[in-house]
């Protein structure tokens, strides 16, 4: 198992390097100028010096490796200095063109909002999907299964930017503000939970973004679990278990479900990056100032380092969860390990 | 009484064995009338199975209606979608404007119809492009063993790219340049189509590769090889027609993803220019007026969702119809 994990981890390093290169290359092709947003009164010589200090004039490969060094060496060292009080010598951190502050600090500020919304919706989505998948498979072609199929088809097809707007129209506009079913359409990230009342408010403002994101998760995972359960319920070991007189509940929930979850866990792990992508749109609708919104602002402002770093973080997430999916697969299905 | 040989019965039995005769009536009890004497083609089989999938038929009907409306609608509803009539702005539904007007007095029905043209055109073209890439890479990787490793690693690398952020960046960067060369509309159209096509071919490539790998071992390919057919012709004559079904299924799914991606980019303000309506752009423009005029958001959103839903149902039906294990059950 250890060698398997180790081998998988090694394979993901070149992938990550390639992605870093592609991202850097595409973003560097942009004609955007780091001094473009500065006042026009700055003379050209000074502008040239600013460009030089930001290292924009160096050859492409030098810039790429410097950026890579900043991400892989400088930022982790800085993080260690901050948390453990070590005194590592660190170089220049990645600076945003827009705010002139380290990009990682911006990301750390934005991270909790995104993680809260995305994390909750993913957990909620999976928790809803599992029972739906089990029942749909156990009662195949029943009305419940038909309804589940339809709902997941809708979940696949209605894009988050429309479902988001729909729930806003329904819950914040049609329902009057005094009603207990009214929900705020703007997510207030400065809100702090201190007591029961503020918790209730936090809960209410999270319902809509979480619902929108969870709809897609539920649609996908319940379909996968249904298919996987159907495969397993027709297997011989299920018949054997029933013949032995094992209770129906244990046959379905212990024997069949356990084996059905193997491919589904992979799907769950692989879905995490996609939901971060969905969060870009959801954050735009509900005005959450998270990572996605930071990315959009940076793209519009031509803020090359921020765009590169956030995109690279998304890529890192994808590779990381691919790795986790691989390893989990190895844990649950021993046959995979000995390839 | 006509004599028909039973299906699967050898024309001449072993020497001395009595020839068994089956009457037409006996066969008719097993096989229904319409299956006998009728030439059954592949397309006919597929259509018969497709017809039995209610959702797929319904989806096909809805999709064809939308395509029809979008392509012939502007000829009947001749109001110019960009015509600004500031005095009749923000109107509700009326005979003059069945879906109302927007904040500049432009007719919403005309805008939804002509927006649909662009959205569908982007969806279809991007799908065609991604199919072209996907099947080419899939066939080459599956057929030529030496290319398999590198091409599939390449596909995996593409699968690991964060697509939405990258698409945003690509569109943002190249919009100005291409608009300068090809004009604002043509430039952004080509940019959108190629960006979406270049980032959505991976699934097709994987599926096609898997099928080609299995096909390559079949006898008819071996036979073609043994009489010296060049690889190029084996691929076009024998391999491609046999992987058509997975390609068709991923085509329908490709249309759906392309339409959603285009709308998502437009929704984030990085799509077509404002005076050039597409469904995503209409939705984006209407967001600020959601509170007062929710209808303006609902129509384009409904158009996107209905199109994608119908295409997905068609894909579902096609998958069942093209799967020989499911067909004829």
């Amino acid at each position: 198992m250890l060698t398997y994990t180790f081998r998988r981890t090694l394979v993901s390093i070149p992938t990550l390097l390639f992605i870093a290169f592609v991202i850097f290359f595409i973003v560097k092709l942009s004609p955007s100028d780091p001094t473009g947003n500065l006042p026009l009164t700055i003379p050209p010589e000074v502008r040239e010096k600013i460009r030089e200090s930001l290292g924009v004039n160096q050859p492409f490969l030098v810039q790429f490796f410097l950026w890579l060094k900043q991400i892989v060496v400088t930022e982790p060292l800085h993080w260690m200095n901050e948390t453990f009080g070590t005194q590592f010598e660190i170089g220049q951190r990645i600076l945003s063109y827009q705010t002139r502050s380290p990009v990682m600090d911006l990301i750390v500020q934005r991270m909790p909002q995104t993680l809260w919304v995305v994390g909750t919706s993913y957990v909620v989505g999976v928790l809803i999907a599992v029972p739906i998948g089990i029942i749909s498979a156990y009662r195949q072609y029943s009305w419940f299964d038909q309804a589940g199929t339809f709902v997941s088809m809708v979940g696949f097809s209605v894009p988050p930017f429309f479902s988001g707007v729909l729930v806003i129209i329904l819950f914040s506009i049609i329902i009057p503000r005094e009603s207990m079913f009214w929900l705020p359409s703007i997510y207030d990230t400065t809100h702090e939970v201190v007591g029961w009342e503020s918790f209730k408010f936090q809960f209410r403002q999270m319902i809509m973004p979480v619902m929108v994101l969870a709809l897609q998760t539920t649609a996908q995972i319940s379909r996968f679990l249904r298919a996987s359960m159907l495969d397993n319920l027709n297997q011989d070991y299920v018949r054997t278990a029933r013949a032995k007189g094992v209770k129906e509940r244990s046959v379905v929930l212990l024997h069949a479900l356990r084996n059905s979850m193997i491919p589904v866990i992979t799907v769950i792990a692989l879905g995490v990056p996609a939901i971060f992508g969905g969060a870009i749109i959801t954050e735009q609708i509900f005005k959450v100032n998270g990572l996605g919104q930071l990315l959009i602002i940076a793209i519009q402002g031509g803020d090359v380092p921020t765009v590169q770093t956030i995109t690279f973080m998304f890529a890192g997430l994808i590779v990381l969860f691919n790795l986790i999916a691989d390893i989990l697969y190895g844990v649950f299905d021993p046959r995979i390990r000995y390839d | 009484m006509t004599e028909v040989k039973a299906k699967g019965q050898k024309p001449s039995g072993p020497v001395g064995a009595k020839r068994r005769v089956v009457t037409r009536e006996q066969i008719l009890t097993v096989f229904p009338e319409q299956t006998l004497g009728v030439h059954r083609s592949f397309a006919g089989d597929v259509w018969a199975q497709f017809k039995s999938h209610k959702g797929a038929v319904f989806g096909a009907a809805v999709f064809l209606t939308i395509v029809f409306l979008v392509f012939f609608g502007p000829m009947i509803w001749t109001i110019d979608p960009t015509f600004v009539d500031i005095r009749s702005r923000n109107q509700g539904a009326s005979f003059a404007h069945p879906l109302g007007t927007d904040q500049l007095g432009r007719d919403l029905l005309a805008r939804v119809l002509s927006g649909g043209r662009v959205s569908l055109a982007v969806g279809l073209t991007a799908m065609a492009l991604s199919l072209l890439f996907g099947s080419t890479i899939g066939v080459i990787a599956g057929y030529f063993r030496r290319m398999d490793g590198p091409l599939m690693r390449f596909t995996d690398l593409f699968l690991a790219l964060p697509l939405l952020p990258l698409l945003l960046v690509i569109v943002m960067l190249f919009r100005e340049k291409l608009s300068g060369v090809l004009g604002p509309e043509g430039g952004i159209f080509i940019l959108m189509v190629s960006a979406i096509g270049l980032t959505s071919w991976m699934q097709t490539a994987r599926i096609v590769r898997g099928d080609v790998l299995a096909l390559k071992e079949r006898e008819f390919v071996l036979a073609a090889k043994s009489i010296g057919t060049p690889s190029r012709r084996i691929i076009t004559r024998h391999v491609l027609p046999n992987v058509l079904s997975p390609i068709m299924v991923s085509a329908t799914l490709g249309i759906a993803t392309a339409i959603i991606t285009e709308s998502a980019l437009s929704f984030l303000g990085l799509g077509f220019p404002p005076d050039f309506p597409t469904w995503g752009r209409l939705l984006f423009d209407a967001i600020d007026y959601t509170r007062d005029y929710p209808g303006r958001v609902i129509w384009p959103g409904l158009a996107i969702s209905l199109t994608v839903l119908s295409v997905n149902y068609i894909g579902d039906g096609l998958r069942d119809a093209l799967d020989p294990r499911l067909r004829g059950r």
Side-chain angles (χ1 to χ4, degrees):
Chain A
M1 189 64 218
L2 204 64
T3 42
Y4 172 79
T5 312
F6 188 65
R7 206 171 59 212
R8 287 281 150 187
T9 317
L10 274 188
V11 167
S12 62
I13 291 173
T15 315
L16 212 51
L17 275 179
F18 167 82
I19 294 169
F21 186 78
V22 169
I23 293 168
F24 194 85
F25 182 70
I26 291 179
V27 177
K28 265 295 158 186
L29 283 178
S30 74
S32 69
D33 181 5
T35 63
N37 293 336
L38 297 179
L40 289 170
T41 46
I42 297 177
E45 312 86 81
V46 181
R47 273 176 198 273
E48 198 50 46
K49 283 209 169 136
I50 295 176
R51 282 194 203 110
E52 220 161 85
S53 73
L54 290 168
V56 196
N57 292 339
Q58 281 161 324
F60 174 76
L61 274 181
V62 175
Q63 285 188 47
F64 173 63
F65 283 112
L66 278 178
W67 175 69
L68 207 61
K69 188 192 141 214
Q70 282 178 321
I71 277 201
V72 191
V73 181
T74 314
E75 293 295 342
L77 282 183
H78 173 81
W79 177 78
M80 281 168 79
N81 282 357
E82 292 280 294
T83 25
F84 304 117
T86 47
Q87 296 293 322
F88 285 116
E89 194 70 31
I90 59 166
Q92 178 64 55
R93 298 178 65 196
I94 308 169
L95 292 183
S96 154
Y97 288 170
Q98 278 179 318
T99 63
R100 309 278 149 184
S101 60
V103 174
M104 279 300 168
D105 291 359
L106 290 176
I107 291 178
V108 168
Q109 284 168 12
R110 303 297 189 107
M111 198 62 129
Q113 290 89 299
T114 304
L115 280 186
W116 256 112
V117 176
V118 169
T120 325
S121 63
Y122 211 55
V123 172
V124 169
V126 171
L127 285 183
I128 299 175
V130 170
I132 292 183
I134 296 173
I135 300 175
S136 310
Y138 191 66
R139 301 227 173 280
Q140 198 189 0
Y141 302 132
S142 65
W143 67 267
F144 186 90
D145 184 29
Q146 305 278 358
T149 310
F150 181 72
V151 169
S152 58
M153 217 41 167
V154 171
F156 274 129
S157 308
V158 179
F161 48 83
F162 184 50
S163 53
V165 174
L166 267 188
V167 290
I168 287 184
I169 292 178
L170 204 65
F171 289 104
S172 327
I173 296 177
I174 293 182
I175 291 180
R177 217 190 165 93
E178 302 77 41
S179 159
M180 62 173 290
F181 293 108
W182 179 84
L183 298 169
S185 68
I186 293 176
Y187 187 88
D188 179 9
T189 42
T190 56
H191 180 74
E192 277 177 36
V193 178
V194 283
W196 176 241
E197 275 307 306
S198 59
F199 173 76
K200 248 168 60 183
F201 181 78
Q202 174 69 19
F203 183 74
R204 283 166 74 109
Q205 71 171 356
M206 279 186 79
I207 292 179
M208 283 204 291
V210 167
M211 255 181 358
V212 169
L213 274 175
L215 177 66
Q216 294 197 308
T217 317
T218 311
Q220 201 186 2
I221 292 174
S222 66
R223 283 298 92 187
F224 262 102
L225 183 59
R226 174 180 178 271
S228 170
M229 279 291 276
L230 279 178
D231 275 352
N232 275 293
L233 281 174
N234 291 328
Q235 299 270 327
D236 289 341
Y237 72 85
V238 170
R239 195 184 309 133
T240 312
R242 281 189 180 135
K244 278 197 304 187
V246 178
K247 264 183 281 169
E248 189 64 17
R249 176 183 287 264
S250 339
V251 171
V252 176
L253 293 185
L254 291 178
H255 294 67
L257 182 62
R258 252 199 203 166
N259 285 301
S260 313
M261 280 310 272
I262 296 173
V264 177
I265 283 174
T266 328
V267 174
I268 293 177
L270 291 179
V272 172
I275 202 165
F276 271 93
I280 297 179
I281 290 166
T282 322
E283 282 178 4
Q284 209 66 9
I285 300 170
F286 295 102
K287 316 232 169 5
V288 186
N289 57 347
L291 269 186
Q293 200 213 19
L294 182 65
L295 178 71
I296 300 280
I297 294 174
I299 287 177
Q300 281 164 349
D303 188 348
V304 174
T306 315
V307 175
Q308 281 167 343
T309 313
I310 297 180
T311 319
F312 183 72
M313 283 189 57
F314 279 125
L317 276 177
I318 295 181
V319 174
L320 177 71
F321 279 98
N322 272 325
L323 186 65
I324 292 179
D326 270 357
I327 293 174
L328 279 181
Y329 217 107
V331 171
F332 287 107
D333 194 344
R335 284 169 300 181
I336 303 285
R337 275 179 245 161
Y338 305 108
D339 261 357
Chain B
M1 197 180 283
T2 45
E3 286 181 5
V4 187
K5 283 183 200 96
K7 206 179 167 194
Q9 178 105 12
K10 279 183 189 153
S12 56
V15 187
K18 200 185 165 227
R19 234 175 117 203
R20 203 166 137 214
V21 174
V22 183
T23 61
R24 188 181 166 84
E25 279 69 34
Q26 278 173 317
I27 289 183
L28 280 180
T29 56
V30 183
F31 301 102
E33 176 92 56
Q34 58 267 32
T35 56
L36 275 182
V38 180
H39 173 65
R40 291 179 48 171
S41 65
F42 174 70
D45 274 5
V46 169
W47 174 239
Q49 175 68 27
F50 187 80
K51 266 196 306 194
S52 68
H53 192 302
K54 279 200 198 86
V57 174
F58 195 68
V62 171
F63 185 65
L64 287 180
T65 315
I66 291 174
V67 170
F68 182 80
L69 277 180
V70 155
F71 279 89
F72 296 102
M75 293 172 194
I76 301 159
W77 191 253
T78 46
I79 296 183
D80 182 7
T82 53
F83 175 68
V84 175
D85 179 10
I86 204 78
R87 273 179 302 179
S88 60
R89 66 177 190 273
N90 294 335
Q91 277 185 359
S94 64
F95 276 111
H97 307 288
L99 302 183
T101 55
D102 69 357
Q103 72 278 9
L104 294 175
R106 293 174 293 196
D107 181 60
L108 197 60
L109 178 60
R111 287 177 75 73
V112 169
L113 288 178
S114 72
R117 275 189 174 185
V118 183
S119 289
L120 283 183
V122 169
L124 291 171
T125 330
M127 174 273 286
L129 198 65
S130 102
L131 275 194
L132 185 70
F133 282 129
S135 357
T136 312
I137 290 185
V139 167
I140 292 178
Y143 193 80
F144 301 103
R145 183 168 295 173
R146 228 170 339 126
M147 301 299 290
D148 191 17
L151 279 180
M152 280 300 111
R153 287 296 80 70
F154 182 66
T155 312
D156 285 348
L157 287 177
F158 255 82
L159 275 172
L161 288 174
L163 292 181
L164 190 59
L166 266 190
L167 274 174
L168 289 173
V169 172
I170 293 174
V171 172
M172 189 66 195
L173 296 182
F174 296 101
R175 190 152 62 159
E176 306 277 301
K177 281 185 188 166
L178 273 178
S179 298
V181 182
L182 300 160
E185 280 116 38
I188 197 87
F189 183 81
I190 290 179
L191 175 60
M192 280 284 200
V193 164
S194 41
I196 297 173
L198 281 178
T199 50
S200 59
W201 52 269
M202 292 82 75
Q203 300 296 348
T204 317
R206 282 187 147 189
I207 298 169
V208 170
R209 170 192 170 257
D211 278 26
V212 172
L213 274 182
L215 271 178
K216 209 173 62 175
E217 308 300 325
R218 297 273 291 275
E219 286 82 359
F220 63 90
V221 174
L222 190 70
K225 246 184 213 162
S226 68
I227 57 168
T229 318
S231 298
R232 188 170 47 84
R233 201 164 313 139
I234 294 184
I235 289 175
T236 49
R237 278 281 177 79
H238 301 289
V239 174
L240 271 184
N242 280 302
V243 289
L244 212 58
S245 1
I247 293 182
M248 270 166 76
V249 173
S250 47
T252 54
L253 299 180
I255 297 179
T257 4
I259 290 178
I260 286 193
T261 315
E262 186 271 324
S263 318
L265 289 176
S266 296
F267 178 79
L268 293 170
L270 286 164
F272 285 89
D275 52 344
F276 196 64
T278 72
W279 285 338
R281 181 79 215 185
L282 289 176
L283 195 62
F284 174 66
D285 288 342
I287 285 287
D288 296 336
Y289 302 92
T290 316
R291 189 158 292 277
D292 299 321
Y293 309 103
R296 247 183 250 167
V297 186
I298 290 182
W299 291 115
L302 208 60
I304 298 173
S305 310
L306 261 185
T307 314
V308 175
L309 189 65
S310 61
V311 169
N312 277 341
Y313 263 112
I314 296 175
D316 221 32
L318 264 186
R319 187 173 16 225
D320 288 358
L322 292 171
D323 189 342
R325 283 168 302 176
L326 284 175
R327 205 188 312 137
R329 228 180 27 186

